[in-house]
Amino acid sequence: MPRAQCLCGDVIYEVDGPLQFVHDCHCTRCQKSHGTGSVTMAAVPKEKLRFVQGEDAVARFQSSKDLQRCFCRRCGSAVPGGDEGDGITFFPIGALEGEYEANSDGHIFVSTKAPWNDITDGLPAFDGFPPGVDLPVLEDLGRTAQTPGRVGGSCLCGKVGWEFDGPPQQMRRCHCLRCRRARAHSHAANAFVAPDAFHWTSGEADVVLFKLPDAERFSQAFCETCGSKAPWFIAERGFWNVPLGNLDDDPGAKPSEHIFVGSKAPWHEITDGVVQWEEYPEG
């Protein structure tokens, strides 16, 4: 039975039975909530997803009339708990471990796809929901930088905002288990920005920083209200780590490498032809 946990370990859950309607969602709300270009979601009957511990540690943000975004209060990891209907629970599968199948049915809401996130796997792609799915479609958030010439970013609830002078120094995707737990996706996608190029525009005091105790440099920053991922400064490396999914503008570049592919999710196939590293890049 596959099991998953958040980054800090306060929330643990397991899934019994096959995953249904596996899909990658590219809507702007999923991008901001997870800090990634898309998020791989699946559905199971409600009784098939069980919290082993920490259900009381789950925070919920009402992102629309019929949808809640759920995250661990302590570390900000996206977790199940908010998107249910007709006895079905939808949840992000990126943090699952163990034996299970997750064959994607394709991509949805590609009409709001991030400009830096190319779709290269050849799976079906739909501008909204696929045919036969009768659910309300939410309006694109449509935010942009406050300062012309800069790249803007923001959280889902709008409290936290930032800008940087683009393009970033580097953009990469990380497939390590820590990132998968933190983002609840197959990988994290981050930009690295020089200190003097980054500027908060609002809500810096609303950002929570969780430092993983046994990690030298790994942390996660998130909005305490909506759980959206936020930038954090890596003092040891001298740059800002900016989650790409929260950008409101085109950064003018695309990720140039995949790291820690040796621990990637077994169901995730890398098809973009970009350089891959088993762990950290050489040199």
Side-chain angles (χ1 to χ4, degrees):
M1 182 181 301
R3 175 178 287 203
Q5 70 170 62
C6 66
L7 183 60
C8 70
D10 284 357
V11 181
I12 301 176
Y13 51 97
E14 59 187 16
V15 179
D16 181 16
L19 305 179
Q20 306 169 20
F21 188 36
V22 181
H23 60 281
D24 274 60
C25 182
H26 296 257
C27 77
T28 48
R29 287 167 174 80
C30 279
Q31 290 180 44
K32 287 184 178 296
S33 182
H34 295 262
T36 53
S38 64
V39 61
T40 307
M41 302 287 289
V44 292
K46 185 176 179 180
E47 67 275 9
K48 297 294 186 180
L49 191 149
R50 183 177 73 89
F51 281 90
V52 177
Q53 71 176 43
E55 188 171 7
D56 58 349
V58 176
R60 291 171 169 81
F61 172 70
Q62 196 77 35
S63 61
S64 63
K65 178 184 176 182
D66 301 312
L67 179 61
Q68 290 182 332
R69 302 281 175 172
C70 300
F71 57 98
C72 172
R73 286 192 179 90
R74 187 153 76 105
C75 67
S77 300
V79 297
D83 193 2
E84 300 174 359
D86 298 326
I88 297 294
T89 295
F90 291 89
F91 70 101
I93 68 172
L96 286 179
E97 302 174 61
E99 296 296 325
Y100 63 97
E101 292 187 5
N103 298 316
S104 177
D105 296 320
H107 302 265
I108 63 175
F109 289 95
V110 298
S111 59
T112 54
K113 181 182 73 69
W116 55 266
N117 187 33
D118 293 335
I119 298 175
T120 58
D121 56 19
L123 293 173
F126 306 95
D127 283 343
F129 287 112
V133 177
D134 185 20
L135 292 172
V137 176
L138 301 176
E139 184 180 357
D140 180 24
L141 295 177
R143 296 171 182 154
T144 189
Q146 297 179 20
T147 306
R150 287 181 176 170
V151 179
S154 60
C155 69
L156 186 55
C157 72
K159 286 186 176 180
V160 181
W162 60 88
E163 296 177 347
F164 63 83
D165 303 315
Q169 293 178 321
Q170 188 178 46
M171 296 166 62
R172 64 166 54 139
R173 305 178 198 260
C174 181
H175 299 259
C176 75
L177 181 57
R178 288 170 177 167
C179 281
R180 288 195 281 125
R181 287 173 172 173
R183 305 293 179 89
H185 185 43
S186 58
H187 59 273
N190 299 311
F192 305 120
V193 176
D196 58 354
F198 180 88
H199 315 273
W200 292 105
T201 57
S202 63
E204 182 180 1
D206 295 297
V207 175
V208 176
L209 180 64
F210 171 76
K211 176 80 168 67
L212 194 64
D214 60 348
E216 181 181 355
R217 293 188 293 267
F218 196 96
S219 297
Q220 174 154 261
F222 59 98
C223 171
E224 64 178 355
T225 299
C226 66
S228 297
K229 308 308 169 273
W232 61 283
F233 186 65
I234 308 177
E236 298 87 350
R237 305 295 295 275
F239 54 68
W240 284 88
N241 186 96
V242 179
L244 286 173
N246 297 82
L247 298 185
D248 298 315
D249 301 287
D250 188 341
K254 295 182 179 182
S256 60
E257 58 189 2
H258 297 266
I259 65 173
F260 284 92
V261 298
S263 53
K264 76 177 182 65
W267 48 267
H268 178 64
E269 184 179 0
I270 300 173
T271 59
D272 60 8
V274 175
V275 174
Q276 300 179 28
W277 303 99
E278 283 292 299
E279 294 185 352
Y280 284 114
E282 294 179 5

